[in-house]
Amino acid sequence: MLSSTKKIGLALAAAVALVAVSAGGAVADRLINSSDVENNSLRAVDLAPNSVKKSELAPGTVGWSKINGPTKDRLKHADVLGSSAVALTTTTTPIVNIGGSFASRSTELGSFTLEPGTYLVSSDGFFISTEATSGGTRMQLAIRGVDGSTWGADFGTCFTGLISTLKDREATCNTTRTVTVDAEMTVKVIGFGYADDQGSADSGKLTGTAFVSAVKVG
């Protein structure tokens, strides 16, 4: 048989439990706000998958990196594109030879290396006369992959219009190509020119500068 003291104790315990349950129900009847949550107590593991949607977040309350992970993780695949990009401005070089064989008489302006992949190659040629010319020559910019062939792999070719007969006159051309490289390859940037009369009178009378970019796209 329980003593009076124990009976009173049990009654009090039951009353406290009832109050706790009632209070719990009252808390459950209202929304939980930030004051109810201890700092750093809730983590992703506490949330059911897909239980919180973007539309349920107030603007500016959660940074993008908190939702999708650190930037370096989100970009680790995108970084493959452009990682082997080339941006080359060649030195201004006299175009020694005009006319004749491209393979033996062209002037190398610069070079770069491409790793295996697919690239968007954009090239601009800038030519300027250093003295009066015949006016019958068209300048050429050629981007050639060194593949063992006589002419090289064509990564872009462009020609200017007829150059001016005057000194200090400019002529430009540009080309854009998508190319695929299967193995590491040296690429040469070449300046040349052809005279309409097949002559070489304008040899050494012009300089060439090239601006080349090769961006990895695949």
Side-chain angles (χ1 to χ4, degrees):
M1 179 178 294
L2 294 175
S3 66
S4 298
T5 301
K6 288 185 176 181
K7 286 181 180 180
I8 293 172
L10 289 174
L12 287 174
V16 169
L18 180 60
V19 170
V21 171
S22 299
V27 172
D29 287 339
R30 67 178 177 82
L31 294 176
I32 296 175
N33 58 40
S34 59
S35 63
D36 298 313
V37 181
E38 182 180 349
N39 289 341
N40 301 315
S41 63
L42 290 180
R43 302 184 183 280
V45 69
D46 300 313
L47 302 176
N50 301 315
S51 61
V52 179
K53 298 179 174 59
K54 182 179 178 181
S55 60
E56 297 171 324
L57 300 175
T61 56
V62 181
W64 182 258
S65 63
K66 298 295 185 182
I67 300 173
N68 284 343
T71 300
K72 66 179 181 180
D73 291 334
R74 290 186 282 113
L75 295 181
K76 65 182 178 182
H77 298 298
D79 285 348
V80 172
L81 305 183
S83 61
S84 298
V86 171
L88 172 68
T89 298
T90 69
T91 57
T92 299
T93 305
I95 307 301
V96 178
N97 299 311
I98 298 295
S101 171
F102 171 88
S104 61
R105 288 171 57 81
S106 58
T107 299
E108 183 176 333
L109 304 178
S111 65
F112 57 92
T113 301
L114 290 181
E115 302 294 332
T118 299
Y119 296 84
L120 181 68
V121 181
S122 298
S123 310
D124 292 272
F126 178 83
F127 302 93
I128 186 168
S129 58
T130 56
E131 57 184 282
T133 72
S134 67
T137 296
R138 304 169 195 274
M139 302 306 296
Q140 177 188 14
L141 175 68
I143 315 301
R144 295 290 185 268
V146 180
D147 61 358
S149 66
T150 301
W151 308 106
D154 188 355
F155 289 177
T157 301
C158 64
F159 290 88
T160 70
L162 289 173
I163 59 177
S164 171
T165 59
L166 302 177
K167 179 183 176 181
D168 295 328
R169 293 297 185 266
E170 302 166 356
T172 63
C173 69
N174 59 79
T175 171
T176 300
R177 292 277 307 276
T178 301
V179 300
T180 298
V181 177
D182 295 325
E184 182 180 281
M185 179 179 288
T186 298
V187 181
K188 292 184 176 182
V189 182
I190 298 169
F192 195 46
Y194 296 95
D196 284 354
D197 62 3
Q198 303 299 311
S200 59
D202 291 329
S203 295
K205 296 182 179 181
L206 297 105
T207 60
T209 308
F211 309 91
V212 183
S213 66
V215 179
K216 196 169 188 180
V217 294

